[in-house]
Amino acid sequence: MNLIIQKFGGTSVATPNSRLQVIDKITSAIKNGEMPIVVVSAIGRFGAPYATDTLLHFVQDEAGEIPDREYDMLLSCGELISAVTIATLLNNCGIPAKAFTGGQSGIITDENHKEAELLYTEPEQLLECISNNIVPVVAGFQGMTINGQITTIGRGGSDTTASMLGASVKANRIEIYTDVDGIMTADPRVCNKAHIISEISYREIFQMADSGAKVIHPRAVEYAMRANIPLVIKNTFTDAIGTTILQSVAQPKKGAVTTHLTGIAHRSGRIQYTITDPILAKVDLLALVASHHISIDLINIFPHYKVFTIDNYNKKKMEKLLEEGNYEYRKIENCAKITAISEQMTGIPGVMSRIIKSMTQNGIEVFQTADSLTTIACLIPEDKISLATCALHEEFSL
């Protein structure tokens, strides 16, 4: 049996018309000889009556701060409503279906409410449904502790549920349905030449997400990668082929003179600090920063000073630490990190040169750079994001 996972996001289940599109995608898979396990998000976004944020605001406005255990109980409601709705629609269309909570589907987590971690999966109830040609419809974003308490899995939400289940049942493919045609070479809001990527590797998608692209959460990719299951990002509302995420994609022939970039991502709201160590420093600065839960990036360490960036929202916390420790520092605010991503740049000379040349020719100052096997990142003025993205898109002929 060709077993697949089909996950549908909040916009896909938000309206009667969109839910019919969901039913059509499920029906088409069955007609093609595939058996889907369906995973659903909560209906719509804030303002929609059953959206997670709407439910959360209602209780907080009525009763105040919600205890963690009850918080997870509330947050699980939106997905349960979606699961029951889609299962009922399928049954009404003559397709036997059954709704499941995350716990009933076999997702067993630790007791860390709001950010629960997977312990193991027991998908027997789902597999029993499938053996009887019944489509399981699973509420995403949630699990259950060994003691039967409802938990939510936080980061990655329903995408992560889909990947967890895909790995546990050894699915042939995991399809993530959303309201876009796939993953793009750049953010189309800043580069009008951006287009859909047909195939991308797990490692590259990790880098895209980590560098600020709104694609799929790395946690969801991690489960699929461990199980070596292809992930496909598709549009509920079109017949676009979408983007397939694989272990590896076709590489150019040896001797090719051009370097292909897979994509360009950016992260705005950055501040660069250049910090001089006190002569009699008693505390390691990086350890101090970490102990206050401030994440740093683009780190360069020199004998007597350090250069790194942080998110703008940590500015007050960072500068309080620096002033209490008598550190001298300079800062550049309103920065952005733009990252070129490709597995094909490894060992290819001249890529950094082309990136810097592209920036310089367009009058874009580069404050700092960093590179890895699959990325080259530049810190630039935030108001140059669009210009820089389009310049790199053109330079590397994306």
Side-chain angles (χ1 to χ4, degrees):
M1 179 181 296
N2 194 9
L3 185 60
I4 66 170
I5 308 293
Q6 291 184 308
K7 179 265 172 177
F8 296 93
T11 54
S12 298
V13 295
T15 68
N17 284 337
S18 66
R19 290 190 285 272
L20 289 178
Q21 295 280 352
V22 169
I23 301 304
D24 182 62
K25 297 295 184 185
I26 298 169
T27 303
S28 294
I30 294 170
K31 287 180 179 178
N32 289 332
E34 296 177 315
M35 185 61 186
I37 295 175
V38 177
V39 177
V40 290
S41 297
I43 293 175
R45 292 171 178 162
F46 181 64
Y50 307 114
T52 298
D53 286 340
T54 303
L55 297 172
L56 188 60
H57 278 73
F58 169 75
V59 176
Q60 288 175 330
D61 291 345
E62 290 289 321
E65 187 175 352
I66 307 169
D68 288 352
R69 175 181 175 277
E70 284 68 29
Y71 184 97
D72 275 0
M73 290 178 68
L74 177 64
L75 258 64
S76 70
C77 291
E79 281 75 17
L80 291 178
I81 293 168
S82 292
V84 171
T85 301
I86 297 300
T88 302
L89 286 170
L90 286 169
N91 279 303
N92 290 341
C93 292
I95 299 172
K98 187 175 181 179
F100 289 86
T101 68
Q104 290 169 339
S105 71
I107 296 175
I108 309 302
T109 75
D110 62 18
E111 297 181 4
N112 183 25
H113 289 287
K114 297 184 179 179
E115 290 283 350
E117 294 287 343
L118 178 70
L119 295 179
Y120 55 89
T121 53
E122 293 180 330
E124 284 75 14
Q125 288 196 65
L126 301 185
L127 295 173
E128 183 181 350
C129 269
I130 290 165
S131 67
N132 292 311
N133 291 316
I134 298 171
V135 175
V137 183
V138 178
F141 181 59
Q142 60 185 258
M144 183 176 68
T145 69
I146 296 171
N147 297 321
Q149 300 298 310
I150 295 171
T151 55
T152 59
I153 59 176
R155 298 163 298 140
S158 298
D159 289 351
T160 301
T161 300
S163 290
M164 286 177 177
L165 293 178
S168 69
V169 302
K170 298 181 174 56
N172 295 86
R173 185 174 71 255
I174 301 166
E175 297 179 343
I176 306 293
Y177 283 91
T178 179
D179 54 3
V180 296
D181 283 343
I183 297 167
M184 304 193 78
T185 51
D187 185 340
R189 294 170 297 181
V190 302
C191 181
N192 59 14
K193 293 183 179 179
H195 60 82
I196 300 298
I197 301 169
S198 59
E199 290 186 347
I200 188 170
S201 72
Y202 290 122
R203 287 205 300 172
E204 288 172 326
I205 205 67
F206 271 126
Q207 295 292 352
M208 291 280 284
D210 187 59
S211 300
K214 301 296 188 290
V215 284
I216 180 173
H217 198 282
R219 196 180 185 202
V221 179
E222 182 182 357
Y223 284 107
M225 181 175 70
R226 287 178 184 174
N228 195 22
I229 300 172
L231 269 168
V232 187
I233 312 300
K234 305 186 80 171
N235 194 332
T236 304
F237 310 106
T238 73
D239 293 324
I241 295 173
T243 301
T244 301
I245 307 170
L246 304 160
Q247 286 285 4
S248 61
V249 296
Q251 300 291 316
K253 295 180 180 179
K254 289 185 177 181
V257 295
T258 59
T259 300
H260 172 71
L261 291 188
T262 301
I264 303 161
H266 70 270
R267 192 177 292 280
S268 56
R270 315 297 294 172
I271 303 175
Q272 183 199 60
Y273 286 90
T274 301
I275 301 167
T276 303
D277 294 327
I279 295 175
L280 299 175
K282 296 180 180 180
V283 180
D284 177 69
L285 176 61
L286 299 184
L288 180 65
V289 170
S291 70
H292 284 77
H293 308 289
I294 301 174
S295 178
I296 60 178
D297 192 12
L298 293 177
I299 311 166
N300 295 118
I301 306 295
F302 300 95
H304 303 296
Y305 67 96
K306 300 174 177 65
V307 184
F308 56 76
T309 66
I310 65 168
D311 277 314
N312 184 58
Y313 64 77
N314 280 319
K315 174 184 173 182
K316 289 183 179 179
K317 192 190 297 186
M318 171 64 75
E319 293 181 7
K320 182 181 178 182
L321 292 178
L322 295 176
E323 288 160 10
E324 288 176 349
N326 295 316
Y327 289 92
E328 293 182 10
Y329 66 90
R330 303 190 312 274
K331 64 182 177 182
I332 303 175
E333 299 188 65
N334 303 314
C335 297
K337 184 178 80 168
I338 185 166
T339 306
I341 298 151
S342 176
E343 288 191 329
Q344 298 178 23
M345 69 170 65
T346 304
I348 303 296
V351 182
M352 176 69 85
S353 172
R354 290 175 64 186
I355 289 173
I356 297 300
K357 182 185 76 172
S358 179
M359 298 293 106
T360 303
Q361 288 178 341
N362 285 276
I364 302 168
E365 188 174 5
V366 177
F367 303 127
Q368 192 176 355
T369 64
D371 66 280
S372 69
L373 289 175
T374 57
T375 66
I376 293 177
C378 297
L379 190 70
I380 63 171
E382 190 165 26
D383 61 3
K384 301 293 186 181
I385 289 173
S386 181
L387 180 61
T389 302
C390 292
L392 291 178
H393 212 278
E394 183 173 347
E395 170 66 28
F396 290 90
S397 303
L398 268 73

